[in-house]
Amino acid sequence: MAHDGHRHDHGEGSELPPIALRVKALESLLVEKGYVDPKALDVLIDTYEAKIGPRNGARVVAKAWTDAAFADWLKRDATAAIASLGYTGRQGEHMVALFNTPDTHNMVVCTLCSCYPWPVLGLPPVWYKSMPYRSRAVIEPREVLREFGLSVPEDREVRVWDSTAEVRYLVIPERPEGTEGLSEEQLAAIVTRNAMIGTGVVTA
């Protein structure tokens, strides 16, 4: 296992950036005033977190699977390659693509807070921001992956990458067998958010 750690620079006093703190304050006020149903808000957040948001990243993965030149560009300069598809913005200024192989499984965590590639994965899931995931992913990654239902063979290295304020990671999962006849759009439809974090794999 390799743990690629980097310096985090988020300031003191809170794990959340100022914009996130303002959003949480606004959310609390709207709920308190009765303008927003917290259950409806949860459904909306879940939709953006697990369905709409990760579609951008899924398109990046599908293109990497079907376009060798794009995959090579992604390996050399993920930020520029991803930007060429129109996916840019805060939390995605410096992207690195991690390609899973038969020998290596990549997994992403942010040990000190919850740095996350918003332009390609949308909202970070609650578990990604939780202390148990952030602390255990580095110490016992295989056990954490098993809890996600993913058993990585012992002869395959698990590499844990620590996101930072400067660098965000996108896992490019292995393309599953039996998908040779699928279009790029059809391939994107089977790519999951967890597979792009490394806590899952893509199945046909």
Side-chain angles (χ1 to χ4, degrees):
M1 178 192 75
H3 174 217
D4 297 71
H6 302 275
R7 180 181 64 84
H8 285 63
D9 183 13
H10 298 278
E12 298 179 355
S14 173
E15 295 180 351
L16 294 173
I19 184 64
L21 289 172
R22 289 198 292 272
V23 169
K24 286 187 73 66
L26 179 59
E27 175 188 329
S28 297
L29 182 62
L30 290 172
V31 170
E32 181 184 331
K33 296 285 186 182
Y35 296 135
V36 174
D37 180 348
K39 290 182 180 179
L41 194 60
D42 288 343
V43 171
L44 182 64
I45 290 173
D46 180 67
T47 298
Y48 275 89
E49 179 185 286
K51 300 180 177 70
I52 297 173
R55 289 306 91 208
N56 292 351
R59 294 185 185 99
V60 173
V61 171
K63 189 167 182 64
W65 285 347
T66 57
D67 184 335
F70 181 78
D72 183 60
W73 188 11
L74 204 55
K75 291 174 183 176
R76 289 184 287 106
D77 188 348
T79 306
I82 291 169
S84 75
L85 300 181
Y87 309 138
T88 60
R90 286 183 59 81
Q91 307 281 334
E93 294 90 343
H94 186 184
M95 294 291 303
V96 172
L98 308 169
F99 284 71
N100 282 352
T101 70
D103 299 318
T104 305
H105 179 88
N106 295 290
M107 177 182 179
V108 181
V109 67
C110 183
T111 54
L112 294 187
C113 57
S114 56
C115 291
Y116 193 73
W118 288 47
V120 287
L121 292 187
L123 300 174
V126 173
W127 56 259
Y128 183 85
K129 298 179 285 184
S130 71
M131 184 56 71
Y133 177 77
R134 286 159 45 198
S135 59
R136 294 180 58 227
V138 172
I139 299 169
E140 48 181 5
R142 290 180 185 274
E143 180 60 31
V144 171
L145 291 175
R146 275 192 286 270
E147 290 170 12
F148 277 94
L150 177 59
S151 179
V152 179
E154 288 300 322
D155 61 353
R156 181 176 298 191
E157 180 186 12
V158 175
R159 299 201 72 189
V160 181
W161 300 80
D162 195 353
S163 291
T164 73
E166 291 82 24
V167 183
R168 303 289 195 279
Y169 298 103
L170 176 68
V171 175
I172 308 299
E174 291 183 277
R175 180 172 177 170
E177 294 182 6
T179 60
E180 293 75 18
L182 298 185
S183 67
E184 190 175 310
E185 183 178 345
Q186 290 171 321
L187 288 170
I190 65 172
V191 178
T192 64
R193 176 200 61 199
N194 284 19
M196 294 182 283
I197 298 174
T199 54
V201 294
V202 179
T203 57

